[in-house]
Amino acid sequence: MNFEPFTTWTEINLSALQNNYKQLQSISNRPVISVIKANAYGHGMVEAAKALQQVGAEWFAVARIEEALDLRNAIPAGKILVLGYTAPSFVPQAILQNICLTIYDSDTAKAYSLQAQKNQQRVSVHVKIDTGMSRLGISVEQAVEFLQFLHTMPGISVEGLYTHFACADEPERPETLSQIRKFDDVLDSLSALQLRPAWVHASNSAGVLNFPHARYDLVRCGIAQYGLHPSDKTLLPAAFQPVLSWKTRITSVKNFLPGTGISYNHRYITKNNEKIGVISVGYADGFRRCFNNSVLVRGKLVPIVGTICMDQCMVQLDSVPDVKIGDEVVIIGVQDDQKITAEQIAARWGTINYEVVSGIAARVPRIIVSR
Ligand SMILES: *Cc1c(COP(=O)(O)O)cnc(C)c1O
């Protein structure tokens, strides 16, 4: 394929995405809610959703109602769950577009109920319980009463119940077991009252891999779908494949004399006669402005030198004597027998692979490839 027009771009391998989804399905033996918030972790939400539907995905989760409405525009069928807070004024649109909302407090529930009744319709909700993440969710103590209350609210249809793990990627920690126990207690009480909703779910990607007894009716997977390890303590099985590569191009090559200052504030000064290239990626693309970056050029790992600019940065090319303007440069991905992973970049940047890929800016084209 020819990517000639692009100076920086990502390549999204949709067959790898489909493969990873099938792996998750077979590991969990459950329907998988494909978590495609934040533009499918930077991979491109709409194309990802369509590719997942081709292999049977029926459930999608996003963080915000705005993402859900965009997704619904692109995929008329499929269940869509909003994981975050939705203002009551969106309820009529959620009903119209068949979007499921998350609910966890009674004031918001009352406001949803009023909005739904105005239209003489019902809004579908999943109730979120806080079993230990201390983020969204009704407390374990109030959960049963809240479900009883919701049951009496006109215009609200409780279809699901879920919680979210705080430490599932650290399998040795006891907190997840305690979260599962609390969740199970709530479920037992609800079952006794015949109030257990149809769809119960808890596990994220790490939960699926580490806590087989917490799979309930559905599992919610993000990072593993993209072929990225949930953490360095929770690695994916070998059958998973990374979906995203990130590439750019050499846009200039020059030889400088010793003592030449490179880029803003001359934080790099050449020591010798040095070959310095420019590549077309910068911090406004999501390539972090820090000093320990490197990329692949003609199969060699070469260091970025000097301050990273908004749209460009400089690269030390002494080890690549035959480099030419237009050469492809790999930021994440494979070149010849060399590879740079999102996990390696995360380690350089002091963050996690999630932030690396979801931070790739919207202006970077997502090019679909299937290998
Ligand atoms: C993002 C998110 C997920 C997916 O987590 P991964 O670790 O990417 O699998 C699942 N559930 C909730 C509530 C989330 O916010």
Side-chain angles (χ1 to χ4, degrees):
M1 226 170 275
N2 184 7
F3 304 116
E4 212 54 65
F6 301 111
T7 52
T8 184
W9 70 99
T10 58
E11 293 175 14
I12 307 298
N13 182 347
L14 292 178
S15 352
L17 179 71
Q18 292 170 326
N19 163 70
N20 299 338
Y21 173 84
K22 288 186 213 157
Q23 298 294 329
L24 285 164
Q25 236 183 356
S26 84
I27 292 171
S28 66
N29 198 24
R30 299 288 186 284
V32 176
I33 306 181
S34 286
V35 180
I36 53 171
K37 61 192 179 190
N39 200 25
Y41 295 36
H43 293 62
M45 176 182 73
V46 167
E47 295 297 336
K50 288 181 174 169
L52 290 163
Q53 279 192 322
Q54 283 172 11
V55 288
E58 291 181 349
W59 289 86
F60 299 95
V62 291
R64 308 201 177 134
I65 185 72
E66 294 88 340
E67 296 175 319
L69 293 168
D70 283 350
L71 181 60
R72 181 55 85 214
N73 263 336
I75 58 155
K79 295 191 192 337
I80 302 176
L81 171 65
V82 177
L83 298 168
Y85 169 79
T86 304
S89 56
F90 275 109
V91 163
Q93 262 177 294
I95 294 172
L96 194 67
Q97 303 291 336
N98 192 21
I99 291 165
C100 220
L101 304 179
T102 289
I103 200 164
Y104 44 82
D105 89 284
S106 43
D107 287 344
T108 310
K110 286 176 199 158
Y112 281 13
S113 175
L114 284 175
Q115 289 282 349
Q117 281 173 270
K118 268 194 223 162
N119 301 18
Q120 306 199 335
Q121 281 176 313
R122 293 159 83 79
V123 59
S124 296
V125 297
H126 286 217
V127 176
K128 185 157 196 195
I129 303 184
D130 180 9
T131 56
M133 174 71 183
S134 312
R135 198 171 63 180
L136 301 184
I138 187 125
S139 73
V140 168
E141 292 72 29
Q142 294 169 297
V144 173
E145 197 186 332
F146 184 54
L147 269 115
Q148 286 173 314
F149 162 77
L150 287 178
H151 208 63
T152 67
M153 294 298 282
I156 293 189
S157 166
V158 179
E159 301 198 336
L161 180 79
Y162 72 105
T163 192
H164 190 49
F165 296 140
C167 313
D169 61 319
E170 297 178 273
E172 73 286 0
R173 291 183 65 158
E175 287 94 332
T176 310
L177 298 177
S178 143
Q179 285 195 262
I180 294 169
R181 221 161 20 242
K182 289 177 182 168
F183 194 53
D184 284 341
D185 286 347
V186 171
L187 286 174
D188 287 346
S189 309
L190 291 175
S191 295
L193 295 164
Q194 298 192 323
L195 285 176
R196 186 193 190 277
W199 300 104
V200 172
H201 45 109
S203 281
N204 56 359
S205 300
V208 168
L209 296 170
N210 293 332
F211 298 92
H213 58 296
R215 290 174 185 157
Y216 302 99
D217 306 320
L218 297 164
V219 293
R220 296 188 310 272
C221 298
I223 200 78
Q225 284 190 127
Y226 308 108
L228 301 172
H229 299 292
S231 74
D232 49 13
K233 291 179 177 167
T234 299
L235 300 177
L236 294 173
F240 285 79
Q241 303 161 347
V243 174
L244 177 145
S245 306
W246 187 6
K247 299 184 177 176
T248 184
R249 227 176 261 291
I250 300 279
T251 56
S252 161
V253 181
K254 285 189 279 192
N255 293 301
F256 289 105
L257 293 172
T260 308
I262 305 293
S263 194
Y264 287 124
N265 307 102
H266 287 180
R267 294 218 165 85
Y268 182 79
I269 312 267
T270 54
K271 290 176 208 69
N272 309 298
N273 288 310
E274 291 186 33
K275 190 187 283 292
I276 302 289
V278 180
I279 59 175
S280 191
V281 65
Y283 59 77
D285 297 299
F287 196 56
R288 279 267 187 96
R289 190 177 173 280
C290 49
F291 284 96
N292 50 355
N293 285 299
S294 36
V295 293
L296 298 174
V297 181
R298 297 206 172 204
K300 294 238 163 53
L301 188 67
V302 291
I304 302 297
V305 290
T307 310
I308 291 185
C309 312
M310 187 181 284
D311 320 296
Q312 315 179 64
C313 58
M314 276 62 128
V315 55
Q316 218 290 352
L317 293 171
D318 284 355
S319 62
V320 203
D322 48 353
V323 62
K324 296 258 173 349
I325 288 181
D327 279 359
E328 201 172 287
V329 175
V330 167
I331 303 164
I332 298 176
V334 176
Q335 196 179 57
D336 300 344
D337 57 351
Q338 296 287 313
K339 179 163 90 172
I340 300 176
T341 63
E343 287 79 11
Q344 286 167 331
I345 298 201
R348 285 184 207 154
W349 293 356
T351 182
I352 53 174
N353 51 9
Y354 293 71
E355 190 182 350
V356 173
V357 290
S358 66
I360 300 174
R363 74 168 173 176
V364 178
R366 269 71 176 170
I367 309 301
I368 305 304
V369 297
S370 286
R371 270 179 285 261

